[in-house]
Amino acid sequence: MGKRSRKVFEETKKNEATKELTDEVILQPVITSDEPPAKQSRWINKQRALIFSSRGISHRARHLMIDLRTMMPHSKAEPKMDRKDKLFVINEICEMKNCNKCVFFEAKKKQDLYMWVSNCPRGPSAKFLVENVHTMSELKMTGNCLKGSRPLLSFDNAFDDEPYLSLLKELFIQTFGTPNHHPKSQPFFDHVFTFSVTDNRIWFRNYQILEEDGSLVEIGPRFVLNPIRIFEGSFGGPTLFTNPHYVSPNTHRQLIRRQVAQKYINRVHAKKSLDERKPEFTYRSDITDDVFVTIRPEDNQQNG
Amino acid sequence: MVDFHHSSDSEAADSDEELQRAFAAGKLKPGLNVVVEAPKQSINNVTGMKQKLKELQQGLDWVERLDLTNPPAPPPPGSNETEGTEGSGVAETDNDFKRELRFYRQAQASVLTGLAKLHKLGIKTRRPDDYFAEMSKTDDHMKRIREKLLEKQQGIENRDKARKLRDLKKYGKKVQQDVLQKRHKEKREMLDAVKKFRKGQKDKLDFLEETEGKGKGKQQNRHGKTDQPFQPNRKRQYKNTKFGYGGQKKRGKMNTKESASDMSGFSKKINQGKPGKQYANKNKKGNKNKRPGKTQRQTMKNRQK
């Protein structure tokens, strides 16, 4: 026992020594309970993003979600939400989790992935269809970066042209940008998130900064966001914008199926129309034409 | 049957009941069996969005946000890429390489401006070499990536090697063919020369010497014998030259273009001189060495005894 206590004593002594070395703030041995704790004034931008999904998401979507969590040190996780629950429940979950931004993945039909990005209590929120997902764990993307280092956010010029895009840009900056001096963040800049608009969709890429002269390597993940709707509130409220170019995956699949079916239908129609066009008699002859035809005896003999 | 398209998402099959309801609502008209509703009006509430944007903005410093809006960086001067690809939007979307390159250059431009901005603010951007921290991809994963890269490289190298070998084989075959052709050509020439010599067109055997010389230089080993593994004996060789060896035997005595126009056997002296004289001359000259007649020989024999 004596030995052990001595050991503990030595350890505490050591800790004190290291504290003195690192020049940290040494707490008072006795403090009053109503005294406010010393604040870290440097961490101003307190964004917290809740990243979670509904039940029934595919493995790829799940990996994408995990990748986003690793890339965003200011993110929080939450168990998958039941499909039956209404979406505005998410607002309450965010409040409970002390989050003011939310990225919610919603899976439908076990194949279509939708993503909600929302500013939690007050809105706005946007719903996207997520297409072309490639996760960080794919071996094609060779880059790597510090976990929790702050990304630069690069936007296309198109984001300033359209009002809905500038609104989305602001939402993305606040959601995906890591706050300065966040406790879990690293103080260096070694990757960049790229958002660019092509084909009425927003393409997301994540590059590692290899050298300061601008040579980059892709880290991943990569995905394409097809905007569907922007709401004024969080997960609801009046619609501010709907995308006229958006075609729902259901309709898309239906069109493809119809195109395939069209081949057969065309063939059947062609057959039917041929039958309809075919005349019943090639030449309509009169029976009375044969009445006055006489058979001569020579003909009869030849035949007989 | 009657087709009725809903513009809404419902995919339910058209039932009679539905059709009846549609008819009651006045959507179905006689003589018109397809009613397509006008496409949905898309909403674009610009004022609302601007107001919301203002509400959302926080008015923080750039350091807190790190956002950069810029066009893609210009292509490097060495590349033959054309700028201003705005027009070919669809083509660029479908062309993976072009699209990715555009994203890459956009990121590049942002990195250059962003890092410069940070440096101006006096913030360090580079991680020191001895600064170790958890990475977003684990070491295990990076190892796998490296292995994959190596494998890929190896694959490319192997393919290159195989291709080179194939090319070499092809080249070797060609060389062999060339050599064979050359040999055939030499042989043909040689045979031609021999023919000519036999017909008397040529009176020197220098072509033989040439080839012999060549053969000696090339093929003699230290025993002074030729390297050719099989050679017929002298007698056979002579017979070969006399009667020919191999090749076509028939039509050998037929006239050919060459033989018909062959004038080697023609001599002005003999063929264009006076008929009787030449023989007389020749006989006189030639009689000297000629064998004497039989009786004379017998008398000569008796005389010796």
Side-chain angles (χ1 to χ4, degrees):
Chain A
M1 284 296 277
K3 232 182 189 176
R4 203 178 189 188
S5 64
R6 209 169 67 197
K7 217 177 187 179
V8 169
F9 176 70
E10 271 174 12
E11 264 181 18
T12 49
K13 217 177 175 183
K14 219 188 243 172
N15 281 347
E16 273 171 19
T18 50
K19 264 181 193 172
E20 273 170 20
L21 274 175
T22 49
D23 214 28
E24 270 183 24
V25 182
I26 297 161
L27 294 174
Q28 303 272 318
V30 180
I31 50 167
T32 54
S33 60
D34 49 340
E35 188 179 333
K39 269 190 180 173
Q40 274 185 307
S41 59
R42 297 195 296 175
W43 179 23
I44 313 162
N45 185 14
K46 305 225 169 168
Q47 302 291 347
R48 292 182 192 87
L50 185 68
I51 300 178
F52 72 119
S53 75
S54 71
R55 290 216 166 273
I57 61 166
S58 62
H59 65 282
R60 196 179 275 266
R62 191 179 69 241
H63 279 280
L64 175 68
M65 192 175 70
I66 293 165
D67 287 347
L68 282 183
R69 276 184 197 149
T70 53
M71 284 192 309
M72 293 157 64
H74 60 292
S75 69
K76 289 194 176 184
E78 170 75 22
K80 285 175 189 161
M81 202 177 76
D82 271 338
R83 260 181 286 181
K84 282 173 193 165
D85 290 347
K86 293 276 178 267
L87 282 176
F88 55 76
V89 179
I90 296 169
N91 288 331
E92 287 167 31
I93 297 170
C94 281
E95 206 184 325
M96 281 192 319
K97 280 274 181 178
N98 197 17
C99 290
N100 54 3
K101 295 287 179 297
C102 181
V103 177
F104 178 65
F105 288 96
E106 194 181 6
K108 280 188 178 166
K109 290 193 162 184
K110 296 212 166 181
Q111 50 185 348
D112 306 322
L113 183 69
Y114 298 90
M115 183 167 121
W116 284 82
V117 179
S118 159
N119 178 32
C120 245
R122 297 185 49 79
S125 58
K127 189 185 182 185
F128 304 93
L129 176 72
V130 186
E131 297 165 328
N132 279 351
V133 175
H134 295 263
T135 61
M136 214 192 257
S137 41
E138 280 176 28
L139 297 177
K140 268 186 187 174
M141 319 220 202
T142 52
N144 198 1
C145 64
L146 281 174
K147 192 178 181 181
S149 65
R150 298 182 64 207
L152 295 173
L153 303 170
S154 163
F155 289 91
D156 200 348
N157 263 0
F159 276 93
D160 287 345
D161 298 342
E162 297 264 353
Y164 82 94
L165 283 175
S166 49
L167 184 64
L168 286 180
K169 178 183 158 189
E170 185 61 34
L171 200 59
F172 286 150
I173 290 169
Q174 294 190 15
T175 314
F176 291 104
T178 304
N180 199 7
H181 296 298
H182 187 276
K184 281 187 199 165
S185 72
Q186 300 281 354
F188 306 107
F189 299 87
D190 59 355
H191 66 297
V192 51
F193 288 174
T194 312
F195 297 88
S196 49
V197 178
T198 307
D199 193 25
N200 299 309
R201 290 166 171 84
I202 299 164
W203 301 65
F204 176 90
R205 296 286 181 272
N206 180 18
Y207 294 102
Q208 178 193 0
I209 303 170
L210 269 187
E211 297 290 331
E212 308 250 312
D213 64 349
S215 54
L216 311 171
V217 183
E218 189 162 0
I219 303 171
R222 49 161 80 162
F223 51 88
V224 181
L225 297 175
N226 192 357
I228 302 169
R229 222 171 240 266
I230 300 175
F231 297 97
E232 204 183 313
S234 173
F235 294 100
T239 309
L240 287 174
F241 171 80
T242 55
N243 185 2
H245 305 288
Y246 170 71
V247 178
S248 80
N250 277 340
T251 344
H252 182 67
R253 281 192 290 265
Q254 204 179 1
L255 280 174
I256 289 170
R257 251 182 285 137
R258 199 169 282 167
Q259 263 175 359
V260 173
Q262 200 64 41
K263 214 173 153 189
Y264 170 72
I265 290 167
N266 280 346
R267 211 165 55 221
V268 170
H269 275 307
K271 229 178 202 174
K272 213 173 171 185
S273 79
L274 183 69
D275 283 346
E276 274 169 11
R277 279 184 285 130
K278 221 182 218 168
E280 227 169 294
F281 307 99
T282 48
Y283 181 70
R284 197 177 286 276
S285 57
D286 202 346
I287 317 161
T288 53
D289 284 354
D290 294 339
V291 169
F292 296 109
V293 174
T294 49
I295 304 164
R296 291 173 298 175
E298 301 101 79
D299 292 339
N300 217 8
Q301 271 175 6
Q302 272 174 11
N303 289 339
Chain B
M1 272 304 288
V2 180
D3 270 330
F4 178 71
H5 291 273
H6 275 286
S7 61
S8 63
D9 279 353
S10 72
E11 290 168 89
D14 302 330
S15 65
D16 285 352
E17 218 172 287
E18 257 180 289
L19 287 176
Q20 278 170 2
R21 243 182 288 141
F23 185 67
K27 279 178 184 171
L28 285 185
K29 282 166 197 163
L32 187 76
N33 52 10
V34 178
V35 176
V36 180
E37 283 178 8
K40 263 190 183 175
Q41 289 292 313
S42 60
I43 303 165
N44 194 4
N45 185 358
V46 176
T47 49
M49 280 192 278
K50 278 184 179 166
Q51 195 191 335
K52 205 72 201 172
L53 179 61
K54 227 174 248 175
E55 208 177 289
L56 189 64
Q57 274 165 349
Q58 302 163 301
L60 288 168
D61 291 339
W62 180 79
V63 190
E64 304 287 336
R65 295 153 54 84
L66 294 178
D67 64 309
L68 296 145
T69 310
N70 53 274
S79 71
N80 51 359
E81 220 180 307
T82 50
E83 238 184 303
T85 46
E86 304 278 321
S88 58
V90 180
E92 197 182 272
T93 323
D94 289 339
N95 187 340
D96 281 3
F97 186 71
K98 261 189 180 174
R99 176 175 21 90
E100 293 304 321
L101 199 66
R102 201 174 78 93
F103 298 155
Y104 181 88
R105 284 202 272 107
Q106 188 201 320
Q108 212 169 23
S110 299
V111 164
L112 291 176
T113 50
L115 289 184
K117 254 182 174 178
L118 286 167
H119 287 310
K120 210 178 249 180
L121 290 166
I123 298 168
K124 276 183 188 171
T125 54
R126 262 192 83 88
R127 175 165 67 112
D129 293 333
D130 56 349
Y131 184 94
F132 295 109
E134 196 185 348
M135 306 292 275
S136 32
K137 285 180 188 173
T138 56
D139 287 347
D140 197 35
H141 185 75
M142 288 311 282
K143 199 179 146 199
R144 275 175 66 202
I145 288 175
R146 231 167 287 135
E147 272 167 12
K148 171 110 182 187
L149 274 179
L150 260 175
E151 204 176 282
K152 213 174 171 185
Q153 219 169 4
Q154 200 95 43
I156 289 170
E157 267 173 27
N158 284 351
R159 241 171 294 149
D160 273 355
K161 224 185 248 172
R163 192 178 297 137
K164 230 176 229 173
L165 218 72
R166 228 178 302 138
D167 285 351
L168 215 68
K169 233 181 200 173
K170 257 185 211 167
Y171 178 71
K173 219 175 187 178
K174 211 187 154 194
V175 166
Q176 208 179 1
Q177 272 178 349
D178 281 354
V179 166
L180 275 178
Q181 266 180 357
K182 208 179 157 191
R183 234 178 255 168
H184 280 306
K185 204 182 156 194
E186 267 177 16
K187 195 179 170 187
R188 217 183 313 129
E189 276 173 3
M190 170 83 168
L191 283 177
D192 269 1
V194 167
K195 223 181 200 173
K196 274 181 186 173
F197 175 72
R198 255 198 287 165
K199 285 187 176 172
Q201 268 178 337
K202 261 189 183 178
D203 34 27
K204 275 183 189 173
L205 273 171
D206 46 355
F207 58 91
L208 272 176
E209 278 164 23
E210 244 178 55
T211 47
E212 265 175 22
K214 260 187 204 169
K216 265 179 193 171
K218 263 183 192 174
Q219 291 170 339
Q220 243 174 12
N221 56 19
R222 62 193 163 120
H223 299 298
K225 278 182 181 174
T226 51
D227 268 339
Q228 277 174 337
F230 171 72
Q231 241 181 352
N233 56 13
R234 281 264 159 124
K235 190 178 169 190
R236 186 69 250 169
Q237 274 180 26
Y238 171 71
K239 278 189 170 176
N240 281 348
T241 53
K242 192 175 179 187
F243 304 112
Y245 171 68
Q248 203 176 36
K249 265 134 199 132
K250 53 186 172 178
R251 299 192 197 90
K253 292 184 175 175
M254 272 169 87
N255 274 344
T256 59
K257 196 182 167 190
E258 281 81 32
S259 72
S261 57
D262 186 13
M263 297 290 281
S264 60
F266 179 80
S267 162
K268 217 178 171 185
K269 246 185 191 172
I270 302 167
N271 296 346
Q272 286 187 341
K274 284 188 177 175
K277 272 189 179 175
Q278 52 186 2
Y279 280 106
N281 279 343
K282 216 179 184 181
N283 279 348
K284 266 181 192 170
K285 269 186 187 173
N287 262 351
K288 273 183 185 172
N289 294 326
K290 253 203 168 176
R291 195 183 181 196
K294 193 176 183 182
T295 44
Q296 204 167 355
R297 268 185 282 141
Q298 274 171 349
T299 51
M300 276 163 75
K301 217 178 186 180
N302 292 333
R303 231 183 270 165
Q304 275 178 359
K305 277 176 186 176

